Amino acid sequence: MACDAAMSTMLSKPVLQCHINATFSTSARSPDPTRISLRSLKSSPYMLGSSSSAATFAPSSQICSFSCKQPAGFMLGQGRKTPNLRVSAIIKEHTGSILGAENLRFVVVAGRFNEVITKPLVAGALETFKRFAVKDEHIDVIWVPGSFEIPMTAQTLAKTGRYHAVVCIGAVIKGATTHYDAVANSAASGVMSASLNSVPCIFGILTCENMEQAIDRAGGKVGNKGGEAALTAIEMASLLLHISADKRAII
């Protein structure tokens, strides 16, 4: 339970008086808070045996609170004295949204090589954008010769400031030579590098052992990875916009 993690956090802090809140899940249905004695605190490395300590949780609010108090002058470590402190630890979770994408702009960079695979992948991406209310006029599709050329193009487009995310789509299928390894590795590292100082560049390039695997992932029995890449682009664009708009809430 998250409460156990909160307790561990509290015990690792060199504090005399602390109060820690943490969310937790419980099946308890009683509306009345329950009070639990934390006898295990006596075995802590800070010798809290003589302290008054307790935990309170309210199932209805899903909040668990730990508190402990120690008289002033409590000795820590090698004779050091620590004044009374009050610590509040609040964990915030942030995630992107796949809703409200009508004002976001995206560009799809696709490789023509193995277009029997990349065309269905692009179609899957466009269908996903439409399903989540992205306007047609807010989507551009750029075709390049192959997957090796995708990262450079994606980086150039990402730095224009016109788009909230770039979707990179290609298909690299293993052959008889090591050319596959060179292209696949370069494409993966290149797309990552393109996103570091700009907007998210989503890796939607298939790296498959054979054509059958690629077909399965371009609308076949495994789904359409182009659509998945578009959905990732929407979520990441939303998340980074949230972080940029409310930096004080994140940092």
Side-chain angles (χ1 to χ4, degrees):
M1 248 185 0
C3 288
D4 295 331
M7 189 191 305
S8 299
T9 301
M10 181 184 71
L11 293 179
S12 67
K13 302 286 186 180
V15 300
L16 298 182
Q17 180 175 335
C18 65
H19 181 74
I20 295 179
N21 291 331
T23 59
F24 77 108
S25 58
T26 178
S27 59
R29 297 184 178 276
S30 172
D32 298 326
T34 302
R35 190 169 182 83
I36 304 173
S37 174
L38 300 183
R39 300 183 184 278
S40 60
L41 290 177
K42 294 182 179 181
S43 61
S44 77
Y46 297 117
M47 304 297 292
L48 297 180
S50 61
S51 66
S52 73
S53 48
T56 304
F57 68 90
S60 59
S61 62
Q62 292 190 322
I63 295 295
C64 180
S65 298
F66 291 95
S67 62
C68 66
K69 294 181 180 180
Q70 188 71 24
F74 179 52
M75 306 295 287
L76 291 178
Q78 299 179 352
R80 289 186 295 110
K81 292 186 179 182
T82 303
N84 287 337
L85 302 175
R86 184 170 181 81
V87 179
S88 178
I90 301 175
I91 300 175
K92 294 183 179 180
E93 294 185 11
H94 301 271
T95 184
S97 173
I98 57 175
L99 304 177
E102 60 273 6
N103 294 320
L104 300 179
R105 297 185 63 94
F106 301 95
V107 59
V108 177
V109 181
R112 286 196 306 270
F113 196 77
N114 288 324
E115 66 178 6
V116 68
I117 301 299
T118 58
K119 282 188 174 180
L121 290 173
V122 171
L126 297 179
E127 181 182 352
T128 298
F129 282 139
K130 183 177 182 179
R131 188 184 312 132
F132 287 91
V134 179
K135 299 175 182 177
D136 289 344
E137 58 267 30
H138 289 174
I139 305 170
D140 292 328
V141 179
I142 308 294
W143 289 93
V144 297
S147 295
F148 192 81
E149 292 73 32
I150 289 176
M152 178 184 64
T153 309
Q155 179 175 275
T156 301
L157 292 167
K159 288 184 176 180
T160 63
R162 293 199 301 263
Y163 306 103
H164 292 94
V166 181
V167 179
C168 302
I169 289 179
V172 186
I173 300 174
K174 195 168 187 178
T177 68
T178 58
H179 183 258
Y180 164 87
D181 297 312
V183 175
N185 292 335
S186 297
S189 60
V191 170
M192 172 58 72
S193 296
S195 359
L196 293 181
N197 296 311
S198 57
V199 298
C201 295
I202 309 304
F203 189 77
I205 300 174
L206 299 183
T207 54
C208 303
E209 294 284 330
N210 49 57
M211 183 62 73
E212 182 181 0
Q213 289 182 353
I215 292 173
D216 287 343
R217 289 158 178 77
K221 60 185 180 182
V222 184
N224 192 305
K225 298 302 179 180
E228 292 180 15
L231 194 61
T232 301
I234 295 173
E235 181 175 347
M236 286 302 298
S238 169
L239 176 61
L240 293 192
L241 280 175
H242 172 62
I243 292 174
S244 298
D246 195 10
K247 288 184 179 179
R248 287 182 298 178
I250 306 296
I251 301 175

